[in-house]
Amino acid sequence: MSDYFSVLFVGGTGAISHSCVKEAVAQGMRVTVLNRGRSSRLRSLPDSVEVLHGDITDPAGVEAALGDRWFDAVVNFLCYGAQDAAQNVRLFAGRTGHYVHISSASVYHRPLPKGPVSESTYAHNPEHAYMRDKVEAERTFLTAFADQGFPVTIVRPAHTYDEAIPPLPGGWAVIDRIERGDPVVVHGDGTSLWTYTHAADLAVGLVGLLGRPSAFGEAFHITSDDVLSWNQIYLAIGHALGVEPTLVHLPTDLIMLAEPNWFWSGLLDGDLSHSEVYDTTKIRSYVPGFRPTRSFEREIYAILAWRRAHPDLATGDPAEDSVYTRLAERYEQARAVFAAH
C-alpha cells in the first residue's frame, strides 16, 4: 500500500487491534487511532500513529473528533450489537471507502457442524449474550450493505492472543497454579480441540483486506491452523515451565453448576467446550501473504518471558485462583464419593 492509504482503527491497544496497527504501519499506511485516551501499560503505539480521542459509544464526541476527515478504511474493534452496528453505519457512511467489522467465530451454533467450518455456515449462537450480540451486529451491517451499499467486510477471529494476555480461562492465575503445582480444572476430558491464532498472524490477513471492493459484503475467518486439545495446551505450559501440570477433569455442566457466576462458565458451555476448527481457504485466496507461522507450543515461551519482564502486570487474579481452588476441592469430594462405592 502507498503512503496515501489512510486507515482509522477504533481501539488500537488490544491484542488484535495493536497488532493490526503495527502491521498497517509496516505496510506504509497512514494510521490513525480513535480511543478514549486511556494509556495502555500493556502495549504502546508506534510513534507515527496519529491518536484521536473519542468514545465510540458517544457519536457526537466521535463526530467532533473526526471533523470532516475521510479514511480509505475504518476498522472497529468495539462494536457488539445491533444498536452499535446501526450507529456505526450512520457515523461512517460517507466517511470511509471501506468499513471492517470485527465479529467472532463464536457466532456459530454449538456443537459446530462437521468441520473445518466455512463462512457460509449459518450464524446463530443463542448460548451467550456476547455471541447473540455479534450475530445481530453482523445482520445489521449486511442489511446496510444490501439496502444502501455500505461497504462493510466482516472478520471473524477465533481465540487470538499476544504475549501480554495468556489465552486461557483464568489468565495468569492458571499459569501461576501450574507453576506452583496446584491443580487446574479442565472442562470435559480435555480432548476437545481449540484453535489459537497469534495476533501478529491475524493482522496480516486483516490488513491485507483493507481497500478491497471485492471484500465488500463478505465474511472471513482469520484464524491459524494451530489446533490443540486443551490437555495439550496445559501440558505445553507445564513443559515450558519445567513442571508436570496437575490436571483434574470436570464435566462442563458441573463447572457451571458449581460456579454459575464465573465469567468463563457461560463461555465454556457456549464456546470453549466444543471442538473448533475453521476453514481459512477464503482469506488465503484474498490475501496470499496470509500464512500463519506461530504456534502456541512455541509462543508460550514468549508469553512466559513477558511475564518475567512485567511482574507487576502479569499477576493472577485472586478471584480466578479461588474459582479453581473451589472446583478442585469439589472434584476431590466427588472423587471420594465415587471411590467409596
Side-chain angles (χ1 to χ4, degrees), residues 157-330:
H159 202 158
T160 309
Y161 67 98
D162 67 0
E163 289 73 28
I165 297 181
L168 304 163
W172 295 115
V174 176
I175 293 180
D176 292 345
R177 292 184 69 86
I178 292 175
E179 187 173 52
R180 295 195 306 261
D182 291 340
V184 173
V185 172
V186 184
H187 55 276
D189 62 2
T191 61
S192 60
L193 301 177
W194 195 245
T195 298
Y196 275 143
T197 308
H198 194 282
D201 283 333
L202 180 145
V204 174
L206 188 149
V207 174
L209 289 173
L210 299 182
R212 304 276 298 276
S214 58
F216 296 172
E218 299 290 336
F220 295 87
H221 295 150
I222 306 185
T223 70
S224 78
D225 297 323
D226 188 24
V227 180
L228 298 168
S229 73
W230 284 99
N231 286 337
Q232 288 175 312
I233 290 167
Y234 292 117
L235 289 173
I237 297 170
H239 181 78
L241 288 169
V243 300
E244 183 70 25
T246 302
L247 305 182
V248 298
H249 297 91
L250 274 176
T252 298
D253 57 344
L254 293 186
I255 294 175
M256 295 177 64
L257 181 64
E259 297 291 338
N261 297 320
W262 188 33
F263 170 79
W264 293 98
S265 287
L267 290 178
L268 285 173
D269 184 51
D271 200 11
L272 277 72
S273 63
H274 301 278
S275 290
E276 303 195 3
V277 181
Y278 300 98
D279 185 347
T280 58
T281 302
K282 189 174 182 180
I283 185 62
R284 292 171 189 267
S285 68
Y286 273 73
V287 185
F290 177 70
R291 292 291 184 270
T293 60
R294 295 164 177 82
S295 66
F296 179 79
E297 289 175 301
R298 286 293 300 274
E299 292 302 317
I300 184 59
Y301 290 93
I303 292 171
L304 295 177
W306 195 95
R307 176 175 177 253
R308 290 191 296 271
H310 302 84
D312 57 328
L313 299 176
T315 57
D317 184 341
E320 299 286 343
D321 188 60
S322 295
V323 169
Y324 276 94
T325 296
R326 290 193 298 270
L327 288 172
E329 290 172 348
R330 294 180 184 185

Side-chain angles (χ1 to χ4, degrees), residues 9 20 44 71 82 88 98 125 130 153 170 172 204 243 265 275 278 320 324 338:
F9 291 100
C20 289
S44 58
F71 298 94
N88 274 264
H98 188 192
N125 189 351
Y130 174 81
T153 294
W172 295 115
V204 174
V243 300
S265 287
S275 290
Y278 300 98
E320 299 286 343
Y324 276 94
F338 277 88

Side-chain angles (χ1 to χ4, degrees), residues 79-91 99 101 133 136-141 144 150:
C79 180
Y80 300 103
Q83 183 175 349
D84 285 356
Q87 178 176 287
N88 274 264
V89 171
R90 291 190 295 269
L91 186 59
Y99 180 96
H101 168 60
D133 286 346
E136 291 303 318
E138 285 195 12
R139 291 174 180 169
T140 300
F141 280 122
F150 185 69

